[in-house]
């Protein structure tokens, strides 16, 4: 008899991944990001209450990962919504840690987007809206961006900020669009400080 449970896998992480420019691809950082975005899925335990409203532990795996890596001030959005609800939103989390990197005070801000286990939210993949704009992606990008700006303002620390963005499937699309929006609208951060890794982007998007 098969027992439904979360599967554990080991991933290597180091703060030194952020010591170089984000423009340089880092395979180890890509693997670490893959670990985070899979942890961002719902847990098996939460799936037992799949259609329930409220907090039922969907973020437990990701929360454990943040703790393990030393990130704090963790915030979750849309992890407590009835997963049968469809809408132009996405689940995501933000967390941060401040370290000394290359001799400078540096705050790494992680923003991990949920790309699996989100139920009715999946219907937003196909929502184009009245103007043919793909609101199923554009709308959540705007919401996540506004939240990130507020999070950075509240962090309010001196030094350099490094943004670590990751997503899987729908979350990957939003991570990529978000990275472009951040580079365009928050140029003071610098493109070299926006580390964005996405996985399993639907091929249909390129059409």
């Amino acid at each position: 008899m098969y027992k439904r449970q979360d599967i554990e896998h080991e991933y290597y992480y180091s703060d030194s991944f952020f010591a170089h420019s984000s423009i340089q691809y880092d395979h180890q950082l890509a693997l670490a990001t893959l670990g985070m975005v899979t942890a961002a899925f719902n847990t098996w335990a939460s799936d037992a209450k799949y259609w329930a409203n409220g907090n039922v532990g969907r973020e437990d795996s990701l929360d454990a990962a943040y703790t393990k890596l030393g990130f704090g001030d963790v915030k979750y959005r849309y992890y407590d919504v009835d997963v049968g609800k469809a809408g132009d939103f996405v689940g995501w989390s933000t967390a941060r840690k401040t370290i000394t990197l290359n001799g400078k005070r540096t705050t790494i801000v992680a923003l991990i987007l949920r790309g699996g286990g989100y139920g009715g939210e999946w219907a937003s993949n196909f929502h184009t809206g009245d103007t043919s704009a793909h609101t199923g992606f554009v709308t959540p990008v705007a919401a996540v961006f506004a939240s990130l700006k507020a999070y950075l303002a509240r962090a309010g620390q001196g030094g350099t900020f490094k943004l670590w963005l990751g997503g899987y499937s729908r979350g990957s699309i939003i991570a990529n669009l978000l990275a472009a929006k951040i580079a365009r609208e928050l140029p003071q951060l610098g493109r070299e400080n926006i580390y964005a890794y996405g996985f399993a982007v639907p091929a249909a998007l390129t059409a």
Side-chain angles (χ1 to χ4, degrees), residues 29-98:
L29 179 55
L31 288 175
T33 309
L34 178 60
M36 296 298 282
V37 300
T38 53
F41 282 36
N42 294 345
T43 65
W44 278 121
S46 70
D47 271 1
K49 301 179 180 179
Y50 196 70
W51 302 106
N53 280 303
N55 186 341
V56 290
R58 298 184 184 110
E59 76 287 356
D60 285 355
S61 294
L62 183 58
D63 206 57
Y66 278 136
T67 299
K68 185 80 171 178
L69 300 185
F71 283 81
D73 191 24
V74 186
K75 306 296 180 187
Y76 292 94
R77 279 84 172 182
Y78 293 110
Y79 268 78
D80 59 348
V81 172
D82 182 339
V83 296
K85 176 183 178 182
D88 295 327
F89 59 89
V90 65
W92 80 92
S93 64
T94 42
R96 62 187 168 103
K97 66 187 299 188
T98 299

Side-chain angles (χ1 to χ4, degrees), residues 156-170:
Q157 301 181 39
T160 301
F161 280 92
K162 305 267 188 177
L163 303 184
W164 181 19
L165 311 179
Y168 181 88
S169 187
R170 179 170 185 255

